[in-house]
Amino acid sequence: MSEKDIIICRCEDVTLAELRECLEAGYTTFEEIKRILRIGMGPCQGQTCANLIQREIAKYLKQPTESIPTHKTRPLTSGVVLQDIAEAEDE
Amino acid sequence: MRERDLIIVGGGPAGLSAAKIALESGLSVTLIERAHDLGGQLVKQTHKFFGSKSEYAKTRGIDIAKILIADLEAYSSKLEIYQDTTVLAMYPDHVLTAIQGRNYMKWKAKAIIIATGASEKFLAFENNDIPGIYGAGAIQTLMNQYGIMPGSEVVMVGSGNIGLIVSYQLIQAGVKVKAVLEASDHIGGYLVHASKLVRLGVPIKTNTTVKRAYGTTKIERIDTVRLDPQWQEVEGSEESIDCDALCISVGLSPLHQLLSMSGCEMIYINELGGLVPKKNEQYETTMPRVFACGDVTGIEEASSAMVEGKLAGLMASYSLGYEHPQFETLKAETLHQLQNLRQGPCGIKIRQGLEKAGEAL
């Protein structure tokens, strides 16, 4: 099968083949792989890919999915124009 | 900074139910909803609900939403509602930021209820980015909210209640459902829904999943593959099915971001759909006066979300010194209802999940 044609993170267009390469190279946490492939850094902030990646890491390490550390979630949940924050009126 | 008593994030079944109870308890409530309409997923659920009268059995989801919204009308002077408003962040000092169009807002709340719900899980297979591959929620939105047909020949992946119900709704809309695929060895949803499909001639293929999709500008065909008991693909078991839409209904995962980012203790539990907050019997997270209810605390049905919403509403109000006039009765009632909803073979998963989370029923 062609892992190049399997999209894992659709925000950043990351394929299963790229994810596997990272795992083979020794990067086996979401946080490490995020810094290389930008997984979880798009508009959905990992809501769509996190489960799939969790499962792939677990499979690769032969560990239960629930034991794989999840990624760090930070503000904000959605894109905002900086001008809107700067010009926000306070009550 | 706008200061508020209670802010509820999410205007679905859980958030609306929580709002009602908090208003009855005498609190002022701010309800924030990302979508244009209140009601959450109820607004696309054209089917009648199961369960007991207290959770609106025999009423269509879309009508339940109307009831829950109408229930709040009597309290309009103490309730402010922000629609089309996305909460961007929650911080440990109970500060919430949000955006409505280009209007950036900042609140500080004495108590917060997170009822953000869940989103659909995605599936990894070859060419899973071809147009015509939908989540079941998208199909319901297109068909049931906007009257748009997603295709003429659909294959459904997933036989949970959503997959089964959406398959039936597709048939009602005149779409041919070519097959329902189920990766595990048994049908996930209620058999009453499954039998209806089988009677209409839809094959339900267990131990089978989608292997690849074909098509360039639009999906034209898929290959399925059988799975052995260890979830490994069985060689030579591939079969093709022509279709112009593929519907993915393989479960939901909690929209946990606000809770995670603010430092609430979270725990990953497969049975509950993913990352969920640790909470005590009061539905309070590890952050004082931050409560959570509905699918964000573990994937269940809208019925449980409504009951959990009531409980969270009761407890959040109580934590601010507003005791509901029927506090004890309602508390006992709702706990009992939750127990009922989770009993029996269909509640096994949620019972196991809650046990892992350290929450006994």
Side-chain angles (χ1 to χ4, degrees), chain A residues 10-77:
Chain A
R10 56 188 181 191
C11 296
E12 297 290 335
D13 230 7
V14 175
T15 65
L16 182 58
E18 291 170 293
L19 177 62
R20 286 269 163 80
E21 263 172 49
C22 264
L23 292 169
E24 296 291 344
Y27 303 107
T28 54
T29 66
F30 195 108
E31 286 299 315
E32 288 169 313
I33 301 170
K34 178 166 91 180
R35 283 155 175 79
I36 298 164
L37 295 178
R38 289 188 55 83
I39 49 167
M41 294 181 77
C44 90
Q45 290 286 294
Q47 179 66 18
T48 315
C49 68
N51 284 306
L52 292 176
I53 289 164
Q54 188 101 350
R55 207 183 307 157
E56 284 304 322
I57 295 175
K59 220 179 357 179
Y60 183 79
L61 297 175
K62 298 191 172 57
Q63 283 172 14
T65 332
E66 289 172 330
S67 69
I68 305 299
T70 52
H71 66 286
K72 171 96 182 143
T73 307
R74 295 183 175 85
L76 312 169
T77 59

Side-chain angles (χ1 to χ4, degrees), chain B residues 187-202:
Chain B
I187 291 167
Y190 296 143
L191 291 185
V192 58
H193 295 313
S195 335
K196 221 153 64 172
L197 290 176
V198 172
R199 281 201 300 276
L200 287 164
V202 179

Side-chain angles (χ1 to χ4, degrees), chain B residues 153-155 178 219-222 240-245:
Chain B
E153 296 194 315
V154 178
V155 175
K178 301 283 288 267
I219 188 167
E220 290 160 9
R221 178 163 61 94
I222 62 156
S240 289
I241 306 176
D242 290 333
C243 59
D244 61 0

Side-chain angles (χ1 to χ4, degrees), chain B residues 44 46-47 132-144 147-158 161-181 193 196-197 200 202 243-249:
Chain B
K44 57 184 80 157
T46 50
H47 59 279
I133 301 174
Y134 298 94
I139 293 229
Q140 280 189 304
T141 305
L142 282 176
M143 247 178 12
N144 302 349
I148 296 168
M149 296 268 256
S152 57
E153 296 194 315
V154 178
V155 175
M156 176 68 64
V157 186
N161 277 329
I162 298 178
L164 296 175
I165 290 171
V166 173
S167 294
Y168 187 69
Q169 291 174 349
L170 282 161
I171 295 171
Q172 285 180 310
V175 177
K176 182 160 177 61
V177 178
K178 301 283 288 267
V180 176
L181 311 182
H193 295 313
K196 221 153 64 172
L197 290 176
L200 287 164
V202 179
C243 59
D244 61 0
L246 182 68
C247 182
I248 311 287
S249 176

Side-chain angles (χ1 to χ4, degrees), chain A residues 1-3 5-10 13 16 44-52 54-56 65-66 68 70-81 83-85 88-91, chain B residues 1-2 4 86-89 91 97 99 101-102 104 106 118-129 211-212 233 253-258 260-261 268-271 273-275 356:
Chain A
M1 76 165 164
S2 180
E3 295 183 345
D5 297 326
I6 301 179
I7 301 286
I8 292 288
C9 166
R10 56 188 181 191
D13 230 7
L16 182 58
C44 90
Q45 290 286 294
Q47 179 66 18
T48 315
C49 68
N51 284 306
L52 292 176
Q54 188 101 350
R55 207 183 307 157
E56 284 304 322
T65 332
E66 289 172 330
I68 305 299
T70 52
H71 66 286
K72 171 96 182 143
T73 307
R74 295 183 175 85
L76 312 169
T77 59
S78 172
V80 186
V81 180
Q83 182 190 20
D84 295 344
I85 298 180
E89 281 171 42
D90 238 336
E91 223 174 60
Chain B
M1 190 101 68
R2 309 163 190 217
R4 296 292 184 269
T86 302
V87 174
L88 297 167
Y91 299 93
T97 60
I99 191 115
R102 301 283 307 263
Y104 180 83
K106 207 155 129 186
S119 73
E120 288 182 282
K121 281 187 177 158
F122 191 46
L123 206 55
F125 56 91
E126 272 176 63
N127 299 324
N128 56 354
D129 59 340
K211 163 99 178 155
R212 68 175 70 82
E233 295 181 357
S253 61
L255 281 163
H256 63 88
Q257 284 78 0
L258 294 174
S260 300
M261 74 173 68
Y268 193 98
I269 297 177
N270 281 332
E271 286 87 347
L275 210 53
K356 275 193 194 173

